[in-house]
Amino acid sequence: MAAQVGFKYNRLARLWLADERINQCREDGGLTGHDTLIIGAVYKDNVWLSLWVDTGVGGVAIASAFRSDGSIDFVELYRQQPYVSKLSQKQVGEIFQSVFNDPTQINIKS
């Protein structure tokens, strides 16, 4: 997905959601197994995060943000997807703020 849109990253984490319907479509009587991912970059003086739905053959961007400017850029295409349930803007903000408060949550594990 990162190569698809041409950005560099140094952090990748899977997000576990309490509501298993979020970012899933109905398929063959069940739900798809889409993952929700945080793709980001930690710099010396800033943190950039993007939130994605991994559909297995590509991805759908949800939003992105830099810690330094405090604003979140939401992607309209996400709102148009036929997911059973979607993350709200408030939920996305809470996810980003949690990681901005402690970027070590998305450190690459060795």
Side-chain angles (χ1 to χ4, degrees):
M1 289 180 296
Q4 175 184 348
V5 292
F7 57 76
K8 295 184 179 187
Y9 64 96
N10 59 17
R11 298 294 187 273
L12 175 65
R14 181 177 181 202
L15 190 63
W16 297 91
L17 303 167
D19 183 349
E20 294 179 357
R21 300 171 305 141
I22 292 175
N23 299 333
Q24 305 303 314
C25 296
R26 296 209 183 276
E27 184 177 273
D28 297 328
L31 296 174
T32 52
H34 298 164
D35 289 326
T36 303
L37 304 176
I38 298 173
I39 302 173
V42 176
Y43 304 105
K44 180 179 178 182
D45 58 352
N46 208 355
V47 177
W48 169 79
L49 300 174
S50 62
L51 199 55
W52 288 77
V53 178
D54 178 359
T55 62
V57 294
V60 176
I62 300 170
S64 64
F66 280 95
R67 179 173 59 188
S68 61
D69 71 13
S71 67
I72 299 172
D73 295 318
F74 291 93
V75 178
E76 183 57 34
L77 180 62
Y78 174 68
R79 297 287 166 225
Q80 298 169 5
Q81 298 303 304
Y83 300 133
V84 175
S85 183
K86 298 179 186 116
L87 292 168
S88 68
Q89 289 187 358
K90 180 181 179 199
Q91 289 170 312
V92 170
E94 290 169 351
I95 291 165
F96 282 168
Q97 192 58 54
S98 173
V99 177
F100 287 149
N101 290 343
D102 180 12
T104 64
Q105 296 177 80
I106 60 169
N107 281 354
I108 297 171
K109 309 289 186 214
S110 54

